[in-house]
């Protein structure tokens, strides 16, 4: 994150991502209450739908962004030693990227694109 | 009434300790009166105080875990023993006297004065009653330090986070119709530390003896940043 993105932008990103996640959770809950997929094949077809797959991927990216700002806040507050903080930030960053790639792989596999 | 008072003289004591004092409480007595009685009992006891009526902001102390201004804290509010400590997170000079240098440095950093780009007029700069009303709840701060020293974010990052007092002051000048340095003030607060270490814990609101709301002021600064960035 650049220096200019470090204060205000991080804060607003967290707010906007929180709003997105809130809406996504409500929409998903609503959908599952009305027509829950019953079998594996139905689940797969649900996820393979281009709109649903895209929405899930966007939401995964938003979750990771939200988590990144949050974990960065926690580390800034609780881990003053710079080397340790940098190490932990890098580990979390790598973990988040791995989670994102994994989610991408899942969606691509379900869609038959990989 | 029994008082457990924090004692520490760096010249003679290896570490701080609590000393018990017994004070006969009379009706209408404030905590400051009790501290002065303790001072009469033991002249070596040190604490700051001056005006005695909640104006100078000198006698902020920690009472049973909460920061209070001793001169306007009635003892009738309390039952049982009182534990009196110095403000948390500040270096202790002696007993209840703490070093507030860093707190004042943060205050200075937010430029607590009107900044004008236009030349100053010959007469005073007029405000409408509505513009003046915006300063209510902001200008009353007496810099006692109860808020900033009760803020966990200020304990964690005391050298970088401005703290609730300085941020309340920053908003006091941002909200002032006569000030012309909005962009500079907002730019000065950019970055992860100075403003954004506030996690709306709101200890500051609970601690302020003047009933001010620094958390709300911080929210206003963030909204203004948002407004100015889109």
């Amino acid at each position: 994150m650049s220096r200019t993105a470090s204060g205000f932008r991080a804060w607003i990103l967290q707010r906007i991502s929180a709003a997105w996640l809130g809406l996504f959770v409500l929409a998903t809950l609503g959908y599952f209450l009305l027509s829950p997929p019953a079998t594996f094949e139905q689940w797969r077809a649900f996820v393979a739908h281009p709109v649903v797959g895209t929405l899930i991927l966007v939401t995964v990216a938003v979750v990771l962004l939200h988590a990144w700002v949050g974990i960065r806040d926690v580390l800034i507050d609780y881990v003053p030693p710079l080397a340790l903080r940098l190490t932990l930030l890098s580990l979390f960053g790598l973990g988040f990227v791995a989670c994102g790639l994994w989610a991408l792989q899942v969606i691509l596999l379900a869609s038959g694109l990989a | 009434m029994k008082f457990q008072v924090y004692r520490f003289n760096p010249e003679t004591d290896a570490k701080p300790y609590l000393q018990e004092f017994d004070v006969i409480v009379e009706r209408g007595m404030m905590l400051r009166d009790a501290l002065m009685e303790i001072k009469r009992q033991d002249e070596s006891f040190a604490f700051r105080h001056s005006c005695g009526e909640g104006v100078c902001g000198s006698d902020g102390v920690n009472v049973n875990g909460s920061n209070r201004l001793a001169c306007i804290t009635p003892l009738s509010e309390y039952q049982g023993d009182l534990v009196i400590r110095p403000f948390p997170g500040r270096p202790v000079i002696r007993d209840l006297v703490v070093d507030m240098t860093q707190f004042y440095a943060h205050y200075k950093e937010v430029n607590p004065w009107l900044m004008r780009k236009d030349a100053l007029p010959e007469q005073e700069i007029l405000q409408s009653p509505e513009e003046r009303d915006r300063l209510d709840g902001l200008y009353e701060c007496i810099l006692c330090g109860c808020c900033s020293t009760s803020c966990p974010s200020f304990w964690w990052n005391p050298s970088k986070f401005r703290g609730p007092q300085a941020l309340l002051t920053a908003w006091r000048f941002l909200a002032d119709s006569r000030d012309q340095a909005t962009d500079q003030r907002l730019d000065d607060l950019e970055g992860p530390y100075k403003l954004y270490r506030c996690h709306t814990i709101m200890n500051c609101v609970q601690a302020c003896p003047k009933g001010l709301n620094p958390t709300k002021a911080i929210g206003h600064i963030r909204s203004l940043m948002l407004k100015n960035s889109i």
Side-chain angles (χ1 to χ4, degrees):
Chain A
M1 222 175 250
S2 73
R3 195 166 160 71
T4 50
S6 58
F8 170 72
R9 228 174 282 181
W11 174 75
I12 198 70
L13 271 177
Q14 200 170 34
R15 291 293 159 123
I16 294 169
S17 57
W20 172 276
L21 294 175
L23 287 175
F24 183 83
V25 166
L26 284 179
T28 320
L29 275 178
Y31 179 79
F32 286 154
L33 281 175
L34 292 173
S35 57
T39 62
F40 176 75
E41 284 313 315
Q42 278 178 349
W43 268 105
R44 197 184 177 117
F46 172 70
V47 174
H49 191 284
V51 175
V52 177
T54 311
L55 277 178
I56 291 177
L57 280 183
V58 169
T59 304
V60 167
V62 169
V63 168
L64 295 178
L65 201 67
H66 191 85
W68 170 254
V69 176
I71 203 73
R72 195 191 68 135
D73 270 344
V74 172
L75 294 180
I76 286 177
D77 285 341
Y78 289 101
V79 187
L82 208 61
L84 181 62
R85 188 192 294 174
L86 211 62
T87 311
L88 286 171
L89 272 175
S90 311
L91 285 176
F92 275 107
L94 280 175
F96 289 167
V97 169
C99 285
L101 290 175
W102 182 48
L104 182 68
Q105 189 196 20
V106 169
I107 299 292
L108 289 180
L109 281 174
S111 315
L113 294 170
Chain B
M1 201 169 190
K2 283 200 172 17
F3 289 79
Q4 305 278 344
V5 182
Y6 179 101
R7 301 299 308 269
F8 179 61
N9 181 350
E11 285 168 16
T12 53
D13 302 328
K15 51 182 187 179
Y17 60 97
L18 288 176
Q19 188 179 354
E20 191 172 293
F21 291 93
D22 228 329
V23 175
I24 298 164
V25 175
E26 287 162 24
R27 206 171 153 179
M29 210 164 157
M30 297 289 175
L31 175 59
R32 172 176 173 266
D33 302 319
L35 293 178
M36 290 200 300
E37 173 55 30
I38 290 169
K39 175 88 177 166
R40 271 188 282 273
Q41 292 178 21
D42 180 350
E43 280 190 342
S44 69
F45 169 59
F47 78 107
R48 284 195 185 107
H49 67 116
S50 181
C51 75
E53 52 187 28
V55 176
C56 72
S58 305
D59 60 355
V61 289
N62 187 279
V63 190
N64 288 358
S66 303
N67 288 352
R68 306 290 301 261
L69 207 53
C71 58
I72 53 171
T73 300
L75 287 176
S76 57
E77 277 185 22
Y78 296 95
Q79 270 129 26
D81 291 5
L82 283 189
V83 182
I84 315 289
R85 294 174 187 273
F87 277 156
R90 298 290 87 203
V92 173
I93 295 170
R94 190 168 142 175
D95 299 338
L96 302 182
V97 180
V98 290
D99 183 356
M100 296 293 277
T101 309
Q102 202 169 39
F103 169 82
Y104 296 127
H106 283 301
Y107 176 67
K108 195 180 162 199
E109 283 296 321
V110 300
N111 299 323
W113 52 81
L114 288 175
M115 295 201 282
R116 300 276 299 177
K117 294 200 169 62
D118 299 346
L120 280 173
E122 296 267 326
Q123 289 148 332
E124 66 270 31
I125 310 162
L126 297 179
Q127 284 187 303
S128 69
E130 292 75 31
E131 286 168 343
R132 170 59 189 77
D133 284 349
R134 295 187 73 199
L135 307 181
D136 285 342
L138 304 172
Y139 78 92
E140 298 94 329
C141 175
I142 54 170
L143 277 92
C144 62
C146 285
C147 59
S148 290
T149 57
S150 69
C151 172
S153 282
F154 195 66
W155 299 336
W156 296 326
N157 289 292
S159 59
K160 295 175 178 169
F161 178 48
R162 289 274 173 260
Q165 192 287 322
L167 292 171
L168 180 94
T169 306
W171 177 244
R172 181 251 171 275
F173 287 96
L174 281 164
D176 196 311
S177 61
R178 299 164 296 179
D179 191 82
Q180 294 179 328
T182 302
D183 287 344
Q184 186 195 327
R185 290 183 190 280
L186 292 181
D187 288 348
D188 284 349
L189 291 174
E190 186 43 64
Y193 285 102
K194 294 171 190 169
L195 172 67
Y196 286 98
R197 280 310 87 211
C198 170
H199 305 307
T200 55
I201 297 164
M202 295 180 80
N203 277 8
C204 54
V205 182
Q206 206 175 17
C208 179
K210 306 302 264 187
L212 310 181
N213 191 330
T215 308
K216 202 168 154 191
I218 291 167
H220 283 308
I221 300 176
R222 288 172 171 174
S223 301
L224 188 63
M225 277 189 174
L226 179 63
K227 218 167 99 187
N228 283 17
S229 70
I230 50 174

